[in-house]
Amino acid sequence: MSQTPAPMLTRLDGPATEVSISRDLVRRGLIVAPVLVAICGVLWGLDGVWSSVYAIALVLVNFALAAAIVATTARISLGLMMGGVLFGYLIRLGLIFLAVFLVRDAAWISLPALGATIIVTHLGLLLWELKYVAISLAHPGLKPPAHPAKTARS
Amino acid sequence: MEAFSMLAQLTGDEEKAAQAASSAGFAYGLAAIGPGIGIGYLVGKSVEAMARQPEAAGMVRTTMFLGIAFTEALALIGFVVFILIGL
């Protein structure tokens, strides 16, 4: 019977995959940002534009912070990574609350636009990323080739 | 007791606003508990998997990170409900 190695002593020195995922999410987020901002501008006016920009920034910073916590703590130990993720979740929720609480009475904020953009950006980017990650993880042979023409010839 | 006597002195609109704020806080609290349990379970199992099979750590970390983000979406939805009805 195999024994599980102690998670407190195990550390991961390999490449931090979550950092590359988060970088990819930020890149995709910046691509779709003008579309979201335009939609919010049409629905809620100029306040909607500023609120959606703020919400997109919040979501992208949240992704980047989550990835940084996992990548940093995994290099030290898996036990610390678990603690880091759990306390990181609380800290990040607190930071989002603080970021919204500080601007809630500002003249340029539209809370419906802010809320809608937070949910749509977070879930939309994850689903978009999941499509590529799921293809490359579950069926490596199905991963889209970099040069389709060369692959077809060979 | 002092809080109850203060509540009794509120007018109709103030009472409604106080009820909305307390419901929003309650909803946000409930919405944050579920993802907290989910993330704890998910990361615990991932750590176990990575400790058993370090060669599969890259794949586990990728799915773990996406799982954390999806679970956190529930808390964000609760937060948005909170800011829309209570803030």
Side-chain angles (χ1 to χ4, degrees):
Chain A
M1 203 174 93
S2 65
Q3 274 191 327
T4 308
M8 291 304 284
L9 302 175
T10 310
R11 45 184 271 182
L12 300 173
D13 288 322
T17 52
E18 51 283 326
V19 173
S20 53
I21 290 175
S22 142
R23 208 172 289 146
D24 207 35
L25 284 169
V26 171
R27 188 179 58 83
R28 289 180 206 278
L30 292 177
I31 291 170
V32 296
V35 179
L36 287 170
V37 169
I39 292 170
C40 286
V42 169
L43 292 177
W44 288 286
L46 199 58
D47 292 353
V49 169
W50 294 121
S51 303
S52 66
V53 168
Y54 193 65
I56 291 168
L58 269 182
V59 170
L60 297 184
V61 168
N62 186 39
F63 278 137
L65 204 57
I69 289 171
V70 175
T72 310
T73 51
R75 279 193 211 107
I76 300 167
S77 90
L78 289 180
L80 185 67
M81 188 189 81
M82 181 154 181
V85 170
L86 286 176
F87 280 102
Y89 164 69
L90 287 177
I91 291 167
R92 282 183 293 115
L93 273 189
L95 285 177
I96 290 174
F97 175 78
L98 195 68
V100 174
F101 190 75
L102 288 176
V103 299
R104 76 189 197 283
D105 293 328
W108 50 269
I109 206 82
S110 159
L111 289 177
L114 185 83
T117 312
I118 286 177
I119 293 176
V120 169
T121 311
H122 189 91
L123 281 176
L125 285 178
L126 278 177
L127 288 172
W128 194 6
E129 184 69 25
L130 190 69
K131 184 184 160 194
Y132 290 93
V133 169
I135 287 172
S136 57
L137 276 184
H139 303 285
L142 293 180
K143 191 176 180 179
H147 304 287
K150 275 185 191 173
T151 316
R153 249 182 268 131
S154 59
Chain B
M1 286 304 285
E2 200 176 320
F4 284 119
S5 62
M6 278 174 71
L7 272 177
Q9 289 168 4
L10 293 177
T11 60
D13 286 347
E14 287 171 333
E15 195 180 337
K16 271 185 190 167
Q19 281 176 354
S22 60
S23 318
F26 189 64
Y28 183 34
L30 277 181
I33 288 173
I37 296 169
I39 288 175
Y41 188 74
L42 183 134
V43 180
K45 287 289 177 190
S46 303
V47 165
E48 198 180 309
M50 284 187 271
R52 272 181 196 274
Q53 263 188 306
E55 67 274 10
M59 204 167 77
V60 176
R61 277 170 87 168
T62 305
T63 45
M64 181 189 79
F65 184 68
L66 288 174
I68 290 170
F70 268 111
T71 315
E72 206 178 290
L74 293 172
L76 284 180
I77 290 170
F79 176 68
V80 168
V81 170
F82 167 71
I83 62 172
L84 288 182
I85 65 173
L87 206 64

